[in-house]
Amino acid sequence: QVQLVESGGGLVQAGDSLRLSCAASGRTFSSRSMGWFRQTPGKERDFVAAISRHGVTAYADSVKGRFTISRDNALNTVYLQMNSLKVEDTAVYYCAACAVDWTLQPPSTNWKEYEYWGQGTQVTVSS
């Protein structure tokens, strides 16, 4: 059982930065890939970034070079540093935990493969 709580969202102007945090409760955090996804009304959830238990990262092309995902296993926390924000980054951002994975494979980019989800945090970027 894993519970996830996101924080750090807000209203910012284009070009600004935000850092999202996701605090996890429960066992096996260090054995799971963690991901960030985002969703706007009427749309499917889109992949943003993910990190494996060994620190291998993956990014959507739209955020590569601007966003950085990281994790602190000692604190059971995953972060998403968002720089140079654009209006099109506006969405509800969700933290998610994948199933336990003992391999060295890259993290999944498919939201359907993630087992646990946080409640989401709103990020709004104005022009």
Side-chain angles (χ1 to χ4, degrees):
Q1 297 291 322
V2 177
Q3 292 180 302
L4 306 172
V5 180
E6 304 99 330
S7 62
L11 174 63
V12 298
Q13 292 185 321
D16 286 353
S17 297
L18 283 174
R19 188 178 77 158
L20 305 183
S21 298
C22 174
S25 298
R27 301 176 182 178
T28 67
F29 172 83
S30 63
S31 298
R32 302 175 183 271
S33 291
M34 301 294 296
W36 287 97
F37 297 79
R38 62 189 182 187
Q39 186 172 26
T40 55
K43 302 291 185 179
E44 294 185 356
R45 293 186 182 185
D46 292 328
F47 168 75
V48 177
I51 185 168
S52 77
R53 62 187 292 252
H54 296 289
V56 180
T57 59
Y59 296 94
D61 289 341
S62 59
V63 306
K64 203 167 189 177
R66 299 188 297 121
F67 291 9
T68 302
I69 188 171
S70 61
R71 67 190 297 161
D72 188 331
N73 289 337
L75 297 178
N76 281 10
T77 302
V78 63
Y79 305 95
L80 184 67
Q81 178 66 47
M82 305 185 294
N83 298 327
S84 301
L85 283 162
K86 304 175 180 179
V87 172
E88 52 262 44
D89 294 320
T90 296
V92 176
Y93 283 70
Y94 294 91
C95 175
C98 200
V100 173
D101 187 358
W102 306 103
T103 74
L104 296 174
Q105 297 298 310
S108 174
T109 62
N110 184 354
W111 70 269
K112 295 181 179 180
E113 297 181 0
Y114 283 77
E115 186 175 7
Y116 300 101
W117 294 84
Q119 82 287 351
T121 184
Q122 177 71 47
V123 173
T124 302
V125 184
S126 63
S127 62

